[in-house]
Amino acid sequence: MIETSRLATILKLRQKQRDQAALAVSDARNAIERLDEKLREIDQQNRIMDALRKQSSTGTIDLGQILEAQRYQLVLAAQASHIASDRSLLIQELERRQAALLQCQQSVRAIEKLQENQLRADEDAAQRRDQHNLDEWSQTRFVIGRETSS
């Protein structure tokens, strides 16, 4: 069986790996949230451009302003498409990192279980030693008691 100090060292290493994996998951989630925020901003800008185009199409029509709004919306659409693609890749990376985190968590739990089993085995061995010592003491007292009474 692995000695307790080695298990403690291994546990610390596994916990450090788990913490690093959790941080990596958090980083990926934060990156996805930033992309989601950019997509919301693009959507908001698109709505503003739609309103501007509708406003420009009533009354005196400013064709230049309408064309400029449409060009800007095309740029926004390209940005949104690029961000959506990046987001998809980040979601895949997040899933990979979550799987790695799960593996690290399982590893930590396994080491903790080994530690518990080792502690239980050490306690059982100590109890057996104590019982053996008590049995020897009792037997010695019995023998001494028989010799003094004879």
Side-chain angles (χ1 to χ4, degrees), residues 49-142:
M49 288 297 109
D50 281 340
L52 183 64
R53 280 187 321 145
K54 286 178 185 174
Q55 194 178 43
S56 296
S57 64
T58 58
T60 308
I61 298 175
D62 184 355
L63 196 55
Q65 192 175 16
I66 292 174
L67 288 174
E68 185 64 33
Q70 286 177 335
R71 277 190 228 118
Y72 185 61
Q73 283 183 303
L74 286 173
V75 169
L76 291 176
Q79 287 176 348
S81 175
H82 182 71
I83 290 170
S85 175
D86 288 349
R87 186 181 187 282
S88 176
L89 292 173
L90 272 173
I91 287 174
Q92 291 174 2
E93 179 63 16
L94 174 63
E95 290 169 355
R96 186 192 67 74
R97 290 179 182 192
Q98 286 173 328
L101 174 58
L102 179 62
Q103 195 171 28
C104 288
Q105 289 170 332
Q106 289 171 342
S107 178
V108 166
R109 274 189 241 120
I111 300 297
E112 288 172 341
K113 189 72 172 170
L114 277 173
Q115 269 188 325
E116 289 171 13
N117 291 342
Q118 181 69 44
L119 181 61
R120 199 171 305 117
D122 290 347
E123 288 171 353
D124 289 346
Q127 285 178 348
R128 282 192 303 277
R129 278 191 310 275
D130 290 346
Q131 186 62 47
H132 177 72
N133 291 339
L134 185 59
D135 289 346
E136 281 185 356
W137 181 80
S138 294
Q139 190 173 12
T140 305
R141 295 295 295 169
F142 177 74

